[in-house]
Amino acid sequence: MSRLTETEAEILSEYQKINSLTLKLTKTIDDINSEDLDKIALTMRELEKKVFLVYTLFKSSIYNNYNQAESNSNPQESHLHTNQILSNPSTNFHTNCPPF
């Protein structure tokens, strides 16, 4: 049987370290998947609902400010423009939020 050179021994030692770290990582991922995944998913869903609520309030605030500015500039044309926006809101406001 041949003896390992110093370089070969160092390389094998590094492989052993990588192997032990990989095993620790695998165990941690398994623990997260088995225990914490449901809690994380529920927390993320609640956060998504809150963000969507803030988005909706922000959007309505912007619409209100825009509508006020339009009505201050020309009251008769503003009414027509508001009806156009309400009849086709997708032309002005876009979201990538999923429907609830």
PDB file of all heavy atoms in Angstrom, residues 48-87:
ATOM      1  N   GLU A  48     -48.147  39.262   2.530  1.00  0.00           N
ATOM      2  CA  GLU A  48     -48.623  39.582   1.191  1.00  0.00           C
ATOM      3  C   GLU A  48     -49.965  40.312   1.250  1.00  0.00           C
ATOM      4  O   GLU A  48     -50.184  41.284   0.530  1.00  0.00           O
ATOM      5  CB  GLU A  48     -48.762  38.293   0.382  1.00  0.00           C
ATOM      6  CG  GLU A  48     -49.221  38.510  -1.031  1.00  0.00           C
ATOM      7  CD  GLU A  48     -49.412  37.190  -1.779  1.00  0.00           C
ATOM      8  OE1 GLU A  48     -49.665  36.164  -1.127  1.00  0.00           O
ATOM      9  OE2 GLU A  48     -49.304  37.224  -3.009  1.00  0.00           O
ATOM     10  N   LYS A  49     -50.864  39.881   2.133  1.00  0.00           N
ATOM     11  CA  LYS A  49     -52.154  40.545   2.290  1.00  0.00           C
ATOM     12  C   LYS A  49     -51.977  41.983   2.771  1.00  0.00           C
ATOM     13  O   LYS A  49     -52.651  42.898   2.286  1.00  0.00           O
ATOM     14  CB  LYS A  49     -53.037  39.774   3.272  1.00  0.00           C
ATOM     15  CG  LYS A  49     -53.569  38.476   2.723  1.00  0.00           C
ATOM     16  CD  LYS A  49     -54.384  37.770   3.768  1.00  0.00           C
ATOM     17  CE  LYS A  49     -54.889  36.424   3.288  1.00  0.00           C
ATOM     18  NZ  LYS A  49     -55.664  35.738   4.330  1.00  0.00           N
ATOM     19  N   LYS A  50     -51.076  42.187   3.725  1.00  0.00           N
ATOM     20  CA  LYS A  50     -50.839  43.530   4.247  1.00  0.00           C
ATOM     21  C   LYS A  50     -50.236  44.435   3.181  1.00  0.00           C
ATOM     22  O   LYS A  50     -50.628  45.600   3.045  1.00  0.00           O
ATOM     23  CB  LYS A  50     -49.937  43.472   5.475  1.00  0.00           C
ATOM     24  CG  LYS A  50     -50.619  42.851   6.676  1.00  0.00           C
ATOM     25  CD  LYS A  50     -49.674  42.718   7.842  1.00  0.00           C
ATOM     26  CE  LYS A  50     -50.362  42.003   8.992  1.00  0.00           C
ATOM     27  NZ  LYS A  50     -49.447  41.805  10.118  1.00  0.00           N
ATOM     28  N   VAL A  51     -49.297  43.913   2.420  1.00  0.00           N
ATOM     29  CA  VAL A  51     -48.679  44.704   1.350  1.00  0.00           C
ATOM     30  C   VAL A  51     -49.723  45.059   0.299  1.00  0.00           C
ATOM     31  O   VAL A  51     -49.752  46.190  -0.199  1.00  0.00           O
ATOM     32  CB  VAL A  51     -47.486  43.948   0.724  1.00  0.00           C
ATOM     33  CG1 VAL A  51     -47.033  44.589  -0.569  1.00  0.00           C
ATOM     34  CG2 VAL A  51     -46.343  43.881   1.714  1.00  0.00           C
ATOM     35  N   PHE A  52     -50.606  44.128  -0.028  1.00  0.00           N
ATOM     36  CA  PHE A  52     -51.644  44.412  -1.013  1.00  0.00           C
ATOM     37  C   PHE A  52     -52.601  45.475  -0.499  1.00  0.00           C
ATOM     38  O   PHE A  52     -53.043  46.347  -1.250  1.00  0.00           O
ATOM     39  CB  PHE A  52     -52.409  43.136  -1.377  1.00  0.00           C
ATOM     40  CG  PHE A  52     -53.398  43.338  -2.481  1.00  0.00           C
ATOM     41  CD1 PHE A  52     -52.973  43.512  -3.785  1.00  0.00           C
ATOM     42  CD2 PHE A  52     -54.750  43.382  -2.220  1.00  0.00           C
ATOM     43  CE1 PHE A  52     -53.877  43.713  -4.816  1.00  0.00           C
ATOM     44  CE2 PHE A  52     -55.658  43.596  -3.237  1.00  0.00           C
ATOM     45  CZ  PHE A  52     -55.218  43.752  -4.539  1.00  0.00           C
ATOM     46  N   LEU A  53     -52.912  45.451   0.801  1.00  0.00           N
ATOM     47  CA  LEU A  53     -53.776  46.474   1.381  1.00  0.00           C
ATOM     48  C   LEU A  53     -53.116  47.844   1.294  1.00  0.00           C
ATOM     49  O   LEU A  53     -53.747  48.824   0.888  1.00  0.00           O
ATOM     50  CB  LEU A  53     -54.098  46.135   2.837  1.00  0.00           C
ATOM     51  CG  LEU A  53     -54.911  47.176   3.601  1.00  0.00           C
ATOM     52  CD1 LEU A  53     -56.289  47.339   2.963  1.00  0.00           C
ATOM     53  CD2 LEU A  53     -55.026  46.794   5.052  1.00  0.00           C
ATOM     54  N   VAL A  54     -51.843  47.926   1.639  1.00  0.00           N
ATOM     55  CA  VAL A  54     -51.122  49.191   1.538  1.00  0.00           C
ATOM     56  C   VAL A  54     -51.083  49.658   0.088  1.00  0.00           C
ATOM     57  O   VAL A  54     -51.286  50.841  -0.201  1.00  0.00           O
ATOM     58  CB  VAL A  54     -49.698  49.057   2.121  1.00  0.00           C
ATOM     59  CG1 VAL A  54     -48.847  50.266   1.802  1.00  0.00           C
ATOM     60  CG2 VAL A  54     -49.770  48.835   3.625  1.00  0.00           C
ATOM     61  N   TYR A  55     -50.858  48.745  -0.837  1.00  0.00           N
ATOM     62  CA  TYR A  55     -50.833  49.078  -2.256  1.00  0.00           C
ATOM     63  C   TYR A  55     -52.179  49.657  -2.689  1.00  0.00           C
ATOM     64  O   TYR A  55     -52.245  50.658  -3.398  1.00  0.00           O
ATOM     65  CB  TYR A  55     -50.487  47.843  -3.090  1.00  0.00           C
ATOM     66  CG  TYR A  55     -50.700  48.039  -4.560  1.00  0.00           C
ATOM     67  CD1 TYR A  55     -49.803  48.774  -5.328  1.00  0.00           C
ATOM     68  CD2 TYR A  55     -51.820  47.506  -5.196  1.00  0.00           C
ATOM     69  CE1 TYR A  55     -50.004  48.973  -6.676  1.00  0.00           C
ATOM     70  CE2 TYR A  55     -52.028  47.705  -6.540  1.00  0.00           C
ATOM     71  CZ  TYR A  55     -51.123  48.429  -7.275  1.00  0.00           C
ATOM     72  OH  TYR A  55     -51.332  48.629  -8.612  1.00  0.00           O
ATOM     73  N   THR A  56     -53.262  49.021  -2.265  1.00  0.00           N
ATOM     74  CA  THR A  56     -54.595  49.489  -2.635  1.00  0.00           C
ATOM     75  C   THR A  56     -54.862  50.884  -2.075  1.00  0.00           C
ATOM     76  O   THR A  56     -55.379  51.753  -2.780  1.00  0.00           O
ATOM     77  CB  THR A  56     -55.661  48.505  -2.132  1.00  0.00           C
ATOM     78  OG1 THR A  56     -55.393  47.221  -2.691  1.00  0.00           O
ATOM     79  CG2 THR A  56     -57.059  48.945  -2.528  1.00  0.00           C
ATOM     80  N   LEU A  57     -54.503  51.107  -0.821  1.00  0.00           N
ATOM     81  CA  LEU A  57     -54.687  52.428  -0.226  1.00  0.00           C
ATOM     82  C   LEU A  57     -53.837  53.477  -0.929  1.00  0.00           C
ATOM     83  O   LEU A  57     -54.291  54.597  -1.186  1.00  0.00           O
ATOM     84  CB  LEU A  57     -54.361  52.384   1.267  1.00  0.00           C
ATOM     85  CG  LEU A  57     -55.302  51.538   2.120  1.00  0.00           C
ATOM     86  CD1 LEU A  57     -54.783  51.427   3.541  1.00  0.00           C
ATOM     87  CD2 LEU A  57     -56.709  52.097   2.107  1.00  0.00           C
ATOM     88  N   PHE A  58     -52.631  53.120  -1.259  1.00  0.00           N
ATOM     89  CA  PHE A  58     -51.743  54.035  -1.972  1.00  0.00           C
ATOM     90  C   PHE A  58     -52.308  54.359  -3.354  1.00  0.00           C
ATOM     91  O   PHE A  58     -52.329  55.514  -3.776  1.00  0.00           O
ATOM     92  CB  PHE A  58     -50.350  53.410  -2.084  1.00  0.00           C
ATOM     93  CG  PHE A  58     -49.336  54.293  -2.743  1.00  0.00           C
ATOM     94  CD1 PHE A  58     -48.840  55.408  -2.104  1.00  0.00           C
ATOM     95  CD2 PHE A  58     -48.870  53.983  -4.017  1.00  0.00           C
ATOM     96  CE1 PHE A  58     -47.898  56.221  -2.715  1.00  0.00           C
ATOM     97  CE2 PHE A  58     -47.937  54.790  -4.634  1.00  0.00           C
ATOM     98  CZ  PHE A  58     -47.448  55.910  -3.975  1.00  0.00           C
ATOM     99  N   LYS A  59     -52.787  53.350  -4.039  1.00  0.00           N
ATOM    100  CA  LYS A  59     -53.357  53.543  -5.369  1.00  0.00           C
ATOM    101  C   LYS A  59     -54.578  54.454  -5.302  1.00  0.00           C
ATOM    102  O   LYS A  59     -54.742  55.359  -6.129  1.00  0.00           O
ATOM    103  CB  LYS A  59     -53.730  52.185  -5.972  1.00  0.00           C
ATOM    104  CG  LYS A  59     -54.268  52.263  -7.384  1.00  0.00           C
ATOM    105  CD  LYS A  59     -54.442  50.895  -8.008  1.00  0.00           C
ATOM    106  CE  LYS A  59     -55.641  50.194  -7.433  1.00  0.00           C
ATOM    107  NZ  LYS A  59     -55.983  48.974  -8.186  1.00  0.00           N
ATOM    108  N   SER A  60     -55.443  54.248  -4.311  1.00  0.00           N
ATOM    109  CA  SER A  60     -56.627  55.094  -4.195  1.00  0.00           C
ATOM    110  C   SER A  60     -56.249  56.523  -3.836  1.00  0.00           C
ATOM    111  O   SER A  60     -56.882  57.477  -4.288  1.00  0.00           O
ATOM    112  CB  SER A  60     -57.605  54.521  -3.175  1.00  0.00           C
ATOM    113  OG  SER A  60     -57.052  54.565  -1.875  1.00  0.00           O
ATOM    114  N   SER A  61     -55.214  56.690  -3.049  1.00  0.00           N
ATOM    115  CA  SER A  61     -54.739  58.032  -2.707  1.00  0.00           C
ATOM    116  C   SER A  61     -54.220  58.755  -3.940  1.00  0.00           C
ATOM    117  O   SER A  61     -54.511  59.938  -4.162  1.00  0.00           O
ATOM    118  CB  SER A  61     -53.651  57.942  -1.650  1.00  0.00           C
ATOM    119  OG  SER A  61     -53.120  59.208  -1.371  1.00  0.00           O
ATOM    120  N   ILE A  62     -53.455  58.064  -4.746  1.00  0.00           N
ATOM    121  CA  ILE A  62     -52.938  58.658  -5.986  1.00  0.00           C
ATOM    122  C   ILE A  62     -54.097  59.014  -6.912  1.00  0.00           C
ATOM    123  O   ILE A  62     -54.133  60.105  -7.487  1.00  0.00           O
ATOM    124  CB  ILE A  62     -51.953  57.707  -6.684  1.00  0.00           C
ATOM    125  CG1 ILE A  62     -50.666  57.616  -5.882  1.00  0.00           C
ATOM    126  CG2 ILE A  62     -51.659  58.161  -8.111  1.00  0.00           C
ATOM    127  CD1 ILE A  62     -49.696  56.605  -6.412  1.00  0.00           C
ATOM    128  N   TYR A  63     -55.057  58.121  -7.030  1.00  0.00           N
ATOM    129  CA  TYR A  63     -56.214  58.383  -7.882  1.00  0.00           C
ATOM    130  C   TYR A  63     -56.961  59.607  -7.373  1.00  0.00           C
ATOM    131  O   TYR A  63     -57.365  60.475  -8.159  1.00  0.00           O
ATOM    132  CB  TYR A  63     -57.140  57.164  -7.916  1.00  0.00           C
ATOM    133  CG  TYR A  63     -58.409  57.420  -8.686  1.00  0.00           C
ATOM    134  CD1 TYR A  63     -58.401  57.429 -10.074  1.00  0.00           C
ATOM    135  CD2 TYR A  63     -59.600  57.679  -8.026  1.00  0.00           C
ATOM    136  CE1 TYR A  63     -59.548  57.683 -10.783  1.00  0.00           C
ATOM    137  CE2 TYR A  63     -60.759  57.941  -8.733  1.00  0.00           C
ATOM    138  CZ  TYR A  63     -60.726  57.941 -10.105  1.00  0.00           C
ATOM    139  OH  TYR A  63     -61.859  58.205 -10.809  1.00  0.00           O
ATOM    140  N   ASN A  64     -57.142  59.711  -6.062  1.00  0.00           N
ATOM    141  CA  ASN A  64     -57.841  60.852  -5.476  1.00  0.00           C
ATOM    142  C   ASN A  64     -57.091  62.148  -5.762  1.00  0.00           C
ATOM    143  O   ASN A  64     -57.696  63.148  -6.155  1.00  0.00           O
ATOM    144  CB  ASN A  64     -58.023  60.643  -3.978  1.00  0.00           C
ATOM    145  CG  ASN A  64     -58.912  61.694  -3.365  1.00  0.00           C
ATOM    146  OD1 ASN A  64     -59.804  62.217  -4.012  1.00  0.00           O
ATOM    147  ND2 ASN A  64     -58.668  61.998  -2.108  1.00  0.00           N
ATOM    148  N   ASN A  65     -55.789  62.153  -5.578  1.00  0.00           N
ATOM    149  CA  ASN A  65     -54.998  63.355  -5.869  1.00  0.00           C
ATOM    150  C   ASN A  65     -55.065  63.714  -7.344  1.00  0.00           C
ATOM    151  O   ASN A  65     -55.193  64.885  -7.702  1.00  0.00           O
ATOM    152  CB  ASN A  65     -53.539  63.155  -5.451  1.00  0.00           C
ATOM    153  CG  ASN A  65     -53.366  63.165  -3.955  1.00  0.00           C
ATOM    154  OD1 ASN A  65     -54.213  63.659  -3.228  1.00  0.00           O
ATOM    155  ND2 ASN A  65     -52.266  62.598  -3.499  1.00  0.00           N
ATOM    156  N   TYR A  66     -54.977  62.738  -8.200  1.00  0.00           N
ATOM    157  CA  TYR A  66     -55.059  62.975  -9.638  1.00  0.00           C
ATOM    158  C   TYR A  66     -56.428  63.537 -10.003  1.00  0.00           C
ATOM    159  O   TYR A  66     -56.543  64.490 -10.774  1.00  0.00           O
ATOM    160  CB  TYR A  66     -54.791  61.665 -10.389  1.00  0.00           C
ATOM    161  CG  TYR A  66     -54.861  61.791 -11.887  1.00  0.00           C
ATOM    162  CD1 TYR A  66     -53.832  62.384 -12.599  1.00  0.00           C
ATOM    163  CD2 TYR A  66     -55.968  61.325 -12.583  1.00  0.00           C
ATOM    164  CE1 TYR A  66     -53.893  62.509 -13.974  1.00  0.00           C
ATOM    165  CE2 TYR A  66     -56.041  61.438 -13.954  1.00  0.00           C
ATOM    166  CZ  TYR A  66     -54.995  62.034 -14.648  1.00  0.00           C
ATOM    167  OH  TYR A  66     -55.064  62.149 -16.002  1.00  0.00           O
ATOM    168  N   ASN A  67     -57.457  62.949  -9.422  1.00  0.00           N
ATOM    169  CA  ASN A  67     -58.817  63.383  -9.698  1.00  0.00           C
ATOM    170  C   ASN A  67     -59.037  64.817  -9.214  1.00  0.00           C
ATOM    171  O   ASN A  67     -59.676  65.610  -9.904  1.00  0.00           O
ATOM    172  CB  ASN A  67     -59.807  62.428  -9.037  1.00  0.00           C
ATOM    173  CG  ASN A  67     -61.197  62.552  -9.596  1.00  0.00           C
ATOM    174  OD1 ASN A  67     -61.374  63.029 -10.705  1.00  0.00           O
ATOM    175  ND2 ASN A  67     -62.175  62.120  -8.827  1.00  0.00           N
ATOM    176  N   GLN A  68     -58.523  65.155  -8.047  1.00  0.00           N
ATOM    177  CA  GLN A  68     -58.652  66.527  -7.538  1.00  0.00           C
ATOM    178  C   GLN A  68     -57.917  67.512  -8.433  1.00  0.00           C
ATOM    179  O   GLN A  68     -58.427  68.602  -8.714  1.00  0.00           O
ATOM    180  CB  GLN A  68     -58.125  66.622  -6.110  1.00  0.00           C
ATOM    181  CG  GLN A  68     -59.057  66.043  -5.079  1.00  0.00           C
ATOM    182  CD  GLN A  68     -58.468  66.123  -3.688  1.00  0.00           C
ATOM    183  OE1 GLN A  68     -57.301  66.463  -3.513  1.00  0.00           O
ATOM    184  NE2 GLN A  68     -59.287  65.804  -2.697  1.00  0.00           N
ATOM    185  N   ALA A  69     -56.738  67.162  -8.879  1.00  0.00           N
ATOM    186  CA  ALA A  69     -55.976  68.055  -9.756  1.00  0.00           C
ATOM    187  C   ALA A  69     -56.708  68.267 -11.070  1.00  0.00           C
ATOM    188  O   ALA A  69     -56.758  69.387 -11.589  1.00  0.00           O
ATOM    189  CB  ALA A  69     -54.586  67.481 -10.005  1.00  0.00           C
ATOM    190  N   GLU A  70     -57.281  67.210 -11.606  1.00  0.00           N
ATOM    191  CA  GLU A  70     -58.044  67.328 -12.850  1.00  0.00           C
ATOM    192  C   GLU A  70     -59.282  68.182 -12.661  1.00  0.00           C
ATOM    193  O   GLU A  70     -59.614  68.999 -13.507  1.00  0.00           O
ATOM    194  CB  GLU A  70     -58.435  65.940 -13.370  1.00  0.00           C
ATOM    195  CG  GLU A  70     -57.300  65.169 -13.992  1.00  0.00           C
ATOM    196  CD  GLU A  70     -56.858  65.762 -15.309  1.00  0.00           C
ATOM    197  OE1 GLU A  70     -57.713  66.119 -16.133  1.00  0.00           O
ATOM    198  OE2 GLU A  70     -55.631  65.866 -15.513  1.00  0.00           O
ATOM    199  N   SER A  71     -59.983  68.012 -11.554  1.00  0.00           N
ATOM    200  CA  SER A  71     -61.211  68.782 -11.328  1.00  0.00           C
ATOM    201  C   SER A  71     -60.897  70.257 -11.073  1.00  0.00           C
ATOM    202  O   SER A  71     -61.694  71.122 -11.401  1.00  0.00           O
ATOM    203  CB  SER A  71     -62.019  68.203 -10.176  1.00  0.00           C
ATOM    204  OG  SER A  71     -61.311  68.339  -8.963  1.00  0.00           O
ATOM    205  N   ASN A  72     -59.742  70.549 -10.498  1.00  0.00           N
ATOM    206  CA  ASN A  72     -59.350  71.939 -10.280  1.00  0.00           C
ATOM    207  C   ASN A  72     -58.989  72.633 -11.586  1.00  0.00           C
ATOM    208  O   ASN A  72     -59.202  73.827 -11.741  1.00  0.00           O
ATOM    209  CB  ASN A  72     -58.179  72.032  -9.313  1.00  0.00           C
ATOM    210  CG  ASN A  72     -58.592  71.682  -7.899  1.00  0.00           C
ATOM    211  OD1 ASN A  72     -59.762  71.731  -7.551  1.00  0.00           O
ATOM    212  ND2 ASN A  72     -57.616  71.316  -7.083  1.00  0.00           N
ATOM    213  N   SER A  73     -58.457  71.882 -12.544  1.00  0.00           N
ATOM    214  CA  SER A  73     -58.042  72.497 -13.802  1.00  0.00           C
ATOM    215  C   SER A  73     -59.222  72.739 -14.739  1.00  0.00           C
ATOM    216  O   SER A  73     -59.302  73.779 -15.363  1.00  0.00           O
ATOM    217  CB  SER A  73     -56.979  71.657 -14.485  1.00  0.00           C
ATOM    218  OG  SER A  73     -57.524  70.419 -14.882  1.00  0.00           O
ATOM    219  N   ASN A  74     -60.134  71.777 -14.847  1.00  0.00           N
ATOM    220  CA  ASN A  74     -61.286  71.939 -15.728  1.00  0.00           C
ATOM    221  C   ASN A  74     -62.406  71.023 -15.239  1.00  0.00           C
ATOM    222  O   ASN A  74     -62.403  69.833 -15.529  1.00  0.00           O
ATOM    223  CB  ASN A  74     -60.908  71.610 -17.167  1.00  0.00           C
ATOM    224  CG  ASN A  74     -61.964  72.067 -18.143  1.00  0.00           C
ATOM    225  OD1 ASN A  74     -63.073  72.427 -17.767  1.00  0.00           O
ATOM    226  ND2 ASN A  74     -61.604  72.063 -19.413  1.00  0.00           N
ATOM    227  N   PRO A  75     -63.375  71.540 -14.509  1.00  0.00           N
ATOM    228  CA  PRO A  75     -64.409  70.697 -13.892  1.00  0.00           C
ATOM    229  C   PRO A  75     -65.232  69.875 -14.884  1.00  0.00           C
ATOM    230  O   PRO A  75     -65.547  68.728 -14.623  1.00  0.00           O
ATOM    231  CB  PRO A  75     -65.306  71.703 -13.167  1.00  0.00           C
ATOM    232  CG  PRO A  75     -64.482  72.926 -13.004  1.00  0.00           C
ATOM    233  CD  PRO A  75     -63.507  72.924 -14.142  1.00  0.00           C
ATOM    234  N   GLN A  76     -65.580  70.419 -16.072  1.00  0.00           N
ATOM    235  CA  GLN A  76     -66.421  69.670 -17.014  1.00  0.00           C
ATOM    236  C   GLN A  76     -65.656  68.515 -17.651  1.00  0.00           C
ATOM    237  O   GLN A  76     -66.155  67.407 -17.761  1.00  0.00           O
ATOM    238  CB  GLN A  76     -66.961  70.600 -18.086  1.00  0.00           C
ATOM    239  CG  GLN A  76     -67.975  71.588 -17.545  1.00  0.00           C
ATOM    240  CD  GLN A  76     -68.448  72.549 -18.605  1.00  0.00           C
ATOM    241  OE1 GLN A  76     -67.847  72.654 -19.668  1.00  0.00           O
ATOM    242  NE2 GLN A  76     -69.527  73.263 -18.305  1.00  0.00           N
ATOM    243  N   GLU A  77     -64.414  68.740 -18.080  1.00  0.00           N
ATOM    244  CA  GLU A  77     -63.614  67.681 -18.695  1.00  0.00           C
ATOM    245  C   GLU A  77     -63.202  66.636 -17.670  1.00  0.00           C
ATOM    246  O   GLU A  77     -63.049  65.471 -18.000  1.00  0.00           O
ATOM    247  CB  GLU A  77     -62.373  68.270 -19.365  1.00  0.00           C
ATOM    248  CG  GLU A  77     -62.674  69.027 -20.636  1.00  0.00           C
ATOM    249  CD  GLU A  77     -61.420  69.564 -21.285  1.00  0.00           C
ATOM    250  OE1 GLU A  77     -60.332  69.047 -20.965  1.00  0.00           O
ATOM    251  OE2 GLU A  77     -61.519  70.489 -22.104  1.00  0.00           O
ATOM    252  N   SER A  78     -63.033  67.044 -16.428  1.00  0.00           N
ATOM    253  CA  SER A  78     -62.631  66.120 -15.378  1.00  0.00           C
ATOM    254  C   SER A  78     -63.669  65.029 -15.178  1.00  0.00           C
ATOM    255  O   SER A  78     -63.344  63.862 -14.995  1.00  0.00           O
ATOM    256  CB  SER A  78     -62.404  66.875 -14.076  1.00  0.00           C
ATOM    257  OG  SER A  78     -62.167  65.971 -13.042  1.00  0.00           O
ATOM    258  N   HIS A  79     -64.935  65.391 -15.228  1.00  0.00           N
ATOM    259  CA  HIS A  79     -65.998  64.412 -15.048  1.00  0.00           C
ATOM    260  C   HIS A  79     -65.956  63.358 -16.156  1.00  0.00           C
ATOM    261  O   HIS A  79     -66.082  62.166 -15.901  1.00  0.00           O
ATOM    262  CB  HIS A  79     -67.356  65.120 -15.017  1.00  0.00           C
ATOM    263  CG  HIS A  79     -68.498  64.189 -14.817  1.00  0.00           C
ATOM    264  ND1 HIS A  79     -68.694  63.520 -13.633  1.00  0.00           N
ATOM    265  CD2 HIS A  79     -69.490  63.794 -15.659  1.00  0.00           C
ATOM    266  CE1 HIS A  79     -69.771  62.751 -13.737  1.00  0.00           C
ATOM    267  NE2 HIS A  79     -70.273  62.905 -14.961  1.00  0.00           N
ATOM    268  N   LEU A  80     -65.739  63.788 -17.385  1.00  0.00           N
ATOM    269  CA  LEU A  80     -65.639  62.846 -18.502  1.00  0.00           C
ATOM    270  C   LEU A  80     -64.415  61.949 -18.357  1.00  0.00           C
ATOM    271  O   LEU A  80     -64.475  60.750 -18.595  1.00  0.00           O
ATOM    272  CB  LEU A  80     -65.593  63.606 -19.824  1.00  0.00           C
ATOM    273  CG  LEU A  80     -66.843  64.394 -20.204  1.00  0.00           C
ATOM    274  CD1 LEU A  80     -66.587  65.210 -21.463  1.00  0.00           C
ATOM    275  CD2 LEU A  80     -68.030  63.464 -20.391  1.00  0.00           C
ATOM    276  N   HIS A  81     -63.280  62.541 -17.955  1.00  0.00           N
ATOM    277  CA  HIS A  81     -62.045  61.764 -17.795  1.00  0.00           C
ATOM    278  C   HIS A  81     -62.188  60.741 -16.666  1.00  0.00           C
ATOM    279  O   HIS A  81     -61.730  59.612 -16.780  1.00  0.00           O
ATOM    280  CB  HIS A  81     -60.877  62.708 -17.532  1.00  0.00           C
ATOM    281  CG  HIS A  81     -59.560  62.017 -17.480  1.00  0.00           C
ATOM    282  ND1 HIS A  81     -58.987  61.451 -18.599  1.00  0.00           N
ATOM    283  CD2 HIS A  81     -58.712  61.777 -16.449  1.00  0.00           C
ATOM    284  CE1 HIS A  81     -57.846  60.895 -18.271  1.00  0.00           C
ATOM    285  NE2 HIS A  81     -57.655  61.086 -16.970  1.00  0.00           N
ATOM    286  N   THR A  82     -62.848  61.134 -15.582  1.00  0.00           N
ATOM    287  CA  THR A  82     -63.057  60.214 -14.461  1.00  0.00           C
ATOM    288  C   THR A  82     -63.893  59.029 -14.912  1.00  0.00           C
ATOM    289  O   THR A  82     -63.608  57.883 -14.561  1.00  0.00           O
ATOM    290  CB  THR A  82     -63.748  60.936 -13.293  1.00  0.00           C
ATOM    291  OG1 THR A  82     -62.939  62.031 -12.895  1.00  0.00           O
ATOM    292  CG2 THR A  82     -63.956  60.003 -12.124  1.00  0.00           C
ATOM    293  N   ASN A  83     -64.918  59.269 -15.703  1.00  0.00           N
ATOM    294  CA  ASN A  83     -65.732  58.168 -16.204  1.00  0.00           C
ATOM    295  C   ASN A  83     -64.925  57.234 -17.097  1.00  0.00           C
ATOM    296  O   ASN A  83     -65.115  56.021 -17.072  1.00  0.00           O
ATOM    297  CB  ASN A  83     -66.954  58.699 -16.962  1.00  0.00           C
ATOM    298  CG  ASN A  83     -67.979  59.298 -16.030  1.00  0.00           C
ATOM    299  OD1 ASN A  83     -68.003  58.967 -14.844  1.00  0.00           O
ATOM    300  ND2 ASN A  83     -68.813  60.179 -16.550  1.00  0.00           N
ATOM    301  N   GLN A  84     -63.999  57.764 -17.878  1.00  0.00           N
ATOM    302  CA  GLN A  84     -63.148  56.923 -18.717  1.00  0.00           C
ATOM    303  C   GLN A  84     -62.245  56.038 -17.859  1.00  0.00           C
ATOM    304  O   GLN A  84     -62.060  54.866 -18.142  1.00  0.00           O
ATOM    305  CB  GLN A  84     -62.296  57.778 -19.647  1.00  0.00           C
ATOM    306  CG  GLN A  84     -63.068  58.440 -20.755  1.00  0.00           C
ATOM    307  CD  GLN A  84     -62.207  59.420 -21.550  1.00  0.00           C
ATOM    308  OE1 GLN A  84     -61.101  59.731 -21.137  1.00  0.00           O
ATOM    309  NE2 GLN A  84     -62.729  59.885 -22.670  1.00  0.00           N
ATOM    310  N   ILE A  85     -61.690  56.621 -16.800  1.00  0.00           N
ATOM    311  CA  ILE A  85     -60.803  55.848 -15.919  1.00  0.00           C
ATOM    312  C   ILE A  85     -61.587  54.754 -15.219  1.00  0.00           C
ATOM    313  O   ILE A  85     -61.149  53.605 -15.131  1.00  0.00           O
ATOM    314  CB  ILE A  85     -60.115  56.766 -14.892  1.00  0.00           C
ATOM    315  CG1 ILE A  85     -59.099  57.660 -15.591  1.00  0.00           C
ATOM    316  CG2 ILE A  85     -59.448  55.958 -13.793  1.00  0.00           C
ATOM    317  CD1 ILE A  85     -58.464  58.693 -14.699  1.00  0.00           C
ATOM    318  N   LEU A  86     -62.774  55.090 -14.725  1.00  0.00           N
ATOM    319  CA  LEU A  86     -63.571  54.095 -14.013  1.00  0.00           C
ATOM    320  C   LEU A  86     -64.066  52.992 -14.936  1.00  0.00           C
ATOM    321  O   LEU A  86     -64.200  51.844 -14.521  1.00  0.00           O
ATOM    322  CB  LEU A  86     -64.758  54.774 -13.320  1.00  0.00           C
ATOM    323  CG  LEU A  86     -64.400  55.678 -12.148  1.00  0.00           C
ATOM    324  CD1 LEU A  86     -65.643  56.371 -11.623  1.00  0.00           C
ATOM    325  CD2 LEU A  86     -63.714  54.907 -11.054  1.00  0.00           C
ATOM    326  N   SER A  87     -64.335  53.315 -16.192  1.00  0.00           N
ATOM    327  CA  SER A  87     -64.816  52.291 -17.115  1.00  0.00           C
ATOM    328  C   SER A  87     -63.703  51.343 -17.552  1.00  0.00           C
ATOM    329  O   SER A  87     -63.948  50.202 -17.898  1.00  0.00           O
ATOM    330  CB  SER A  87     -65.464  52.928 -18.339  1.00  0.00           C
ATOM    331  OG  SER A  87     -64.492  53.622 -19.088  1.00  0.00           O
TER     332      SER A  87
END
